[in-house]
Amino acid sequence: MTEQAPQPAGKPFLYVVVCAAGVAEGVGALLTAARERGWETGVIATPAALNGFFDVAAAEALTGRPVRSAWRTPADPRPFPPPDAVAVAPATFNTINKWSAGIADTLAAATLCEAPGLGVPIAVLPCVADALVVHPAYRDSLTRLRAMGVRFGDPHTGDPSPAGGRPGFAWERALDLLDAAPADQDETPPGPRSAIRYDPPT
C-alpha cells in the first residue's frame, strides 16, 4: 500500500481543477480564499493548462503541494489526501464536454469523472465563449452534469464589457457554491472517498 499524503487535522481538502483559459492566471485568488475559509488545497491541471496559463510555482507555494497533471505510478505515494470537495475553475468547453461524456484520458478528467460517484461535492466556474455556449453538445453536457448534482456558477466569456475592460472572474463563487448544500441533500454520509486514484486508466 502506498503512503497517503498527510492532511492537517480538522481541515477539509479541496481539489482545484484548472483548465486552459486565460483567466487561469488568477487561480491564486481561489487558493488564497480557500485557505482563509479553512480549506487545504491541491491543484490538478489539465495538460494544456500547464503550458503557461498559470504560475505553477506560485500555486505550489500557496498549497504546499506539487501541481498534478499526470498519473502517479503504483509505487508512488499519493500526493493529496482524498477530497472533501472539488472546484473546477476555470472550466473550459473541452473539459466540460469530456467530463459529461465520461472521457477520462487525463488525470483532471478522470478525477472529475470519479468524484460524483463518490459523493464529493463539485463546483464549476465555466469560462466558455458565447460562440461555444450555444453548441448543442455543450448544452447537453450542462444538463447531464447538473442532473449528477454538479453545481455551476454563472458563465464567464472573458470578452470585454461594452464599457471597456474585462469583467473579473468570480473565483470565490466556487467556494460559495460548495458552502450551499443542495436542498434535497440528506444527512447520509457518502461512500468512502479514498477511491479517487492517481493511476492510469485501463
Side-chain angles (χ1 to χ4, degrees):
M1 180 179 294
T2 56
E3 179 185 354
Q4 178 68 56
Q7 180 177 359
K11 287 193 175 185
F13 199 89
L14 176 68
Y15 285 11
V16 177
V17 176
V18 181
C19 303
V23 297
E25 65 183 2
V27 71
L30 174 56
L31 299 175
T32 299
R35 182 178 58 196
E36 291 172 350
R37 296 198 194 189
W39 293 91
E40 290 292 319
T41 55
V43 173
I44 299 175
T46 64
L50 288 182
N51 293 327
F53 282 87
F54 71 105
D55 188 331
V56 172
E60 292 179 340
L62 284 170
T63 64
R65 295 175 173 85
V67 170
R68 303 294 297 172
S69 183
W71 282 278
R72 67 178 180 88
T73 67
D76 291 336
R78 295 181 183 271
F80 302 159
D84 294 287
V86 177
V88 193
T92 57
F93 176 84
N94 188 54
T95 292
I96 289 171
N97 286 329
K98 284 171 59 175
W99 176 15
S100 172
I103 299 172
D105 62 344
T106 66
L107 177 60
T111 298
L112 295 177
C113 286
E114 288 186 341
L118 298 171
V120 178
I122 308 170
V124 179
L125 301 183
C127 185
V128 179
D130 286 338
L132 294 174
V133 165
V134 299
H135 195 290
Y138 181 73
R139 292 181 176 181
D140 290 346
S141 293
L142 295 183
T143 298
R144 175 178 286 185
L145 293 173
R146 285 188 173 115
M148 293 163 57
V150 177
R151 311 168 194 184
F152 282 86
D154 294 333
H156 180 94
T157 66
D159 294 333
S161 65
R166 296 182 184 274
F169 193 68
W171 292 103
E172 290 195 50
R173 177 62 176 150
L175 303 176
D176 296 338
L177 289 168
L178 293 172
D179 287 342
D184 59 350
Q185 185 179 46
D186 60 31
E187 295 183 359
T188 304
R193 294 178 180 173
S194 59
I196 286 189
R197 303 183 304 274
Y198 286 85
D199 310 310
T202 56

